[in-house]
Amino acid sequence: MENSRSNHPNSITDYVQRNLRTQVQAGDHLVVALSGGVDSVVLLDLLAKTSPPMGLKLSAAHVAHGISSHTGQWSAFCQTLCDRLGIPLTIHRLQIQKRPQESLEAVARQARYRVFEQIQADYIALAQHQDDQVETLLLQLLRGAGVKGLSAMPRIRPLKPGASTRLLRPLLDISRTAILHYARQQNLEWITDESNSNIRFDRNFLRHRILPLLEQRYPAYRKTITRASQHLGEAFHLLDELAQVDAQTVIRADKIQLAGLRGLSPARAKNLLRYLLAQRMVSLPSTAKLEEILRQLYGAQPDTQLRFMVDTLEIRCYRRQVEFLCTQSASSPITPVTWRGEQWLHLSVPHNKLEFTYQNATGIDPGKLAQQTVTIRSRTGGERFQPDCRRPRRSLKKILQEAALPPWKRDMLPLLFCGEQLVWVAGIGVDCSFQAQPDQTGLVVTLHTHQTT
């Protein structure tokens, strides 16, 4: 898309329309991420022309980050532009706060993508182009990124794993020069972010100082670097496929088996952990931290308990089994709740709920439950339990230890009490004195959880 013929407005319009036909279908809803800059203004103009004949629904979203003093003017510009084109616009107003050890650009991007997750659409159209692709690869290379970080931005991908909304980049093979040429030929207006010329920012330094020099010596650098990033993208997908194969052999009952992990080469083990963490949409740890996690896992003994923090996840190791937990629910006790006969009871631990059903000759004697208030809560210590009528009543702590339940899960385990009497323990059973008889219909309690590993 860099020769004079492809810079012609009709060529770009035809190119975008031709690619859209292979990716979207009539009736799809596209939302343009409109900043007001030349790239997104050109994308909006192109989609405003190509959407009606293709039967697409088109709208726009503007994220006002609140960083620049001109934020209000930019929002007003986007609103005026969309009004003139007859395109619905939603403005999302934010107040971005820079966090320690994070770039303002990265914080703004994270906030922007959180907004995208709230948008109901089939596609969110982004105006990233060929020069953005090149700049991103070079920046990632200078940061020491791995294969994933050096991979080409895909033209289309899910907004996040499992999401129905997809990100679409119709301009990804078009150069910035071609986009500017189109804008001028079409007499478009756009705003200029004053920060784009500030070479204190790494991307601007590359754009204004390094890439012009590179172009003098290597005029085709955009195409060659883009091709390299595409090769790296293919390698990244192969690594993901390898991780999926390793996960099938290493993961059992939603837990990583340490023996299986140790059977992998260090490179494959790191690749598997990166893949599993990426699936949970967390910021990946540095190479040094990942290697330290693996070093400690490799050296773990049967009685070793390990705990690592990675962004919003905890990695826990107990009895040579590794699992990932959300930090918000890693060791949260259950808020006491009364059961009043409903079939489903949601617990305070995220994604946990109890189901109550009736079955013959099993479960809890419902007549005995009717004598006092039935509550669900966590253990507080000192409870005694007798799930097997042939064995004496014993400490619940000892029973949970024998069941190999990890310590951090013991306080999250739902217990059912009738008055002060412990009746049922999730995963363990019903106390002997409350068990339904063979000729009775019993109450069966089932814990349903949303697994995170």
Side-chain angles (χ1 to χ4, degrees):
M1 295 298 299
E2 293 185 9
N3 57 44
S4 59
R5 181 179 177 184
S6 62
N7 282 349
H8 192 278
N10 288 340
S11 298
I12 294 179
T13 304
D14 292 344
Y15 174 84
V16 169
Q17 188 170 36
R18 187 167 59 251
N19 278 278
L20 278 179
R21 291 191 185 281
T22 66
Q23 294 154 351
V24 302
Q25 57 187 359
D28 282 346
H29 180 196
L30 276 65
V31 176
V32 177
L34 180 66
S35 68
V38 63
D39 305 332
S40 64
V41 167
V42 165
L43 178 60
L44 185 71
D45 188 75
L46 287 166
L47 292 181
K49 294 173 180 176
T50 57
S51 293
M54 294 180 63
L56 303 175
K57 178 183 177 182
L58 184 65
S59 60
H62 172 73
V63 179
H65 297 94
I67 298 173
S68 170
S69 59
H70 302 297
T71 295
Q73 298 173 31
W74 296 346
S75 298
F77 170 84
C78 291
Q79 187 67 67
T80 300
L81 174 62
C82 288
D83 289 345
R84 186 167 67 247
L85 293 172
I87 295 173
L89 172 70
T90 303
I91 297 177
H92 303 267
R93 304 185 190 280
L94 308 176
Q95 285 296 327
I96 301 298
Q97 298 291 329
K98 185 179 182 302
R99 296 189 292 266
Q101 300 180 336
E102 282 196 82
S103 72
L104 190 60
E105 181 184 30
V107 174
R109 180 184 182 278
Q110 292 168 6
R112 193 160 57 247
Y113 273 69
R114 285 194 294 271
V115 169
F116 292 166
E117 291 175 8
Q118 302 169 14
I119 295 174
Q120 299 296 314
D122 296 295
Y123 296 91
I124 296 175
L126 306 178
Q128 289 157 326
H129 48 70
Q130 192 175 53
D131 290 73
D132 291 322
Q133 183 90 279
V134 170
E135 292 165 4
T136 299
L137 184 141
L138 292 176
L139 286 171
Q140 292 288 75
L141 189 63
L142 292 169
R143 292 165 184 158
V147 174
K148 178 181 179 181
L150 298 175
S151 301
M153 286 184 284
R155 184 172 288 104
I156 185 170
R157 73 166 176 85
L159 177 57
K160 61 180 181 179
S164 59
T165 301
R166 283 158 287 187
L167 297 179
L168 179 65
R169 299 179 173 96
L171 306 181
L172 203 52
D173 292 328
I174 300 175
S175 69
R176 180 180 287 113
T177 301
I179 289 171
L180 283 169
H181 182 77
Y182 176 94
R184 289 166 181 149
Q185 287 291 316
Q186 299 297 303
N187 295 317
L188 300 181
E189 296 180 353
W190 62 89
I191 57 175
T192 301
D193 185 342
E194 71 277 6
S195 68
N196 286 343
S197 60
N198 189 342
I199 61 172
R200 289 191 300 108
F201 296 109
D202 292 340
R203 184 176 292 271
N204 292 338
F205 179 75
L206 280 178
R207 182 179 300 169
H208 299 298
R209 293 290 180 86
I210 303 302
L211 293 180
L213 289 175
L214 200 62
E215 187 166 25
Q216 292 177 21
R217 183 66 178 261
Y218 306 100
Y221 78 90
R222 294 180 182 86
K223 288 185 177 180
T224 54
I225 291 180
T226 298
R227 185 165 64 246
S229 68
Q230 290 169 347
H231 294 327
L232 288 164
E234 292 176 0
F236 166 65
H237 288 303
L238 288 174
L239 288 175
D240 266 6
E241 290 179 8
L242 179 63
Q244 291 166 11
V245 171
D246 289 339
Q248 291 176 0
T249 60
V250 169
I251 296 177
R252 292 288 182 273
D254 299 309
K255 298 179 180 65
I256 300 172
Q257 305 303 304
L258 204 50
L261 189 68
R262 290 169 174 170
L264 301 176
S265 68
R268 285 178 69 163
K270 283 193 291 185
N271 182 58
L272 177 59
L273 287 183
R274 284 196 191 99
Y275 170 78
L276 294 173
L277 290 170
Q279 290 298 298
R280 287 152 183 81
M281 301 294 289
V282 298
S283 299
L284 297 183
S286 65
T287 300
K289 183 170 183 178
L290 193 63
E291 290 176 347
E292 177 60 20
I293 291 172
L294 275 174
R295 186 190 68 79
Q296 293 194 40
L297 289 176
Y298 283 157
Q301 299 302 311
D303 59 346
T304 301
Q305 295 185 36
L306 297 175
R307 175 177 177 266
F308 310 98
M309 295 295 300
V310 178
D311 197 14
T312 58
L313 285 184
E314 288 187 15
I315 302 178
R316 297 268 198 166
C317 179
Y318 178 70
R319 293 196 177 185
R320 294 181 174 174
Q321 293 186 326
V322 182
E323 61 182 310
F324 298 156
L325 302 169
C326 176
T327 54
Q328 294 178 342
S329 60
S331 300
S332 304
I334 296 170
T335 302
V337 60
T338 300
W339 179 65
R340 294 182 174 85
E342 56 267 55
Q343 181 182 355
W344 292 96
L345 190 64
H346 290 266
L347 305 178
S348 58
V349 175
H351 311 298
N352 282 14
K353 59 184 178 181
L354 297 179
E355 182 183 15
F356 297 83
T357 57
Y358 290 90
Q359 297 181 28
N360 292 329
T362 188
I364 304 168
D365 181 346
K368 294 183 178 180
L369 287 184
Q371 299 173 8
Q372 296 189 62
T373 302
V374 176
T375 57
I376 312 295
R377 61 173 175 82
S378 297
R379 69 189 186 110
T380 56
E383 295 89 355
R384 300 185 68 79
F385 195 52
Q386 187 184 9
D388 188 343
C389 296
R390 296 167 298 180
R391 301 185 65 181
R393 189 171 298 277
R394 297 184 297 152
S395 160
L396 177 60
K397 178 180 179 180
K398 182 67 174 177
I399 293 172
L400 296 179
Q401 288 174 341
E402 291 176 356
L405 191 71
W408 62 87
K409 287 191 173 181
R410 295 171 193 169
D411 290 338
M412 301 165 56
L413 194 68
L415 313 180
L416 186 147
F417 288 82
C418 182
E420 294 301 316
Q421 177 68 49
L422 178 56
V423 176
W424 170 86
V425 179
I428 303 298
V430 179
D431 189 84
C432 176
S433 61
F434 280 83
Q435 291 175 6
Q437 298 305 306
D439 59 345
Q440 284 184 305
T441 298
L443 176 68
V444 177
V445 187
T446 306
L447 172 64
H448 295 270
T449 64
H450 175 71
Q451 299 292 345
T452 57
T453 298

